[in-house]
Amino acid sequence: MLSALPLACGVSPLAIDMYMSAFPRMARDLHAPATGVQLTLTAFMTGLAIGQLVVGPLSDRWGRRRPLLAQGVSDK
């Protein structure tokens, strides 16, 4: 469990870096305008922010362990 917390915090910056480097390729492969591909990053960041707004108060109330375990169960 102790290793799950740093992994959960470290995934978002890595995901953004990989995602942004793939922008030109995604636009070319999907025949989409650059603005359309950029909107997907906006959606990603919005989802990340909403997730923090939801999980933050849960962590304050029940600690970090329960929300992380609930998230792990919901992924399966």
Side-chain angles (χ1 to χ4, degrees):
M1 175 51 84
L2 195 55
S3 64
L5 190 59
L7 287 174
C9 293
V11 167
S12 296
L14 290 175
I16 292 171
D17 289 342
M18 290 185 291
Y19 194 60
M20 293 212 31
S21 65
F23 267 22
R25 176 84 186 240
M26 288 176 14
R28 188 173 54 247
D29 289 350
L30 297 173
H31 305 290
T35 55
V37 176
Q38 289 170 356
L39 281 174
T40 62
L41 180 63
T42 302
F44 176 80
M45 294 297 284
T46 302
L48 187 65
I50 290 172
Q52 289 179 355
L53 288 173
V54 170
V55 174
L58 293 176
S59 294
D60 290 343
R61 185 171 187 176
W62 291 308
R64 292 182 177 155
R65 189 169 191 268
R66 286 185 185 171
L68 278 176
L69 289 174
Q71 188 269 333
V73 169
S74 68
D75 283 346
K76 293 180 181 177

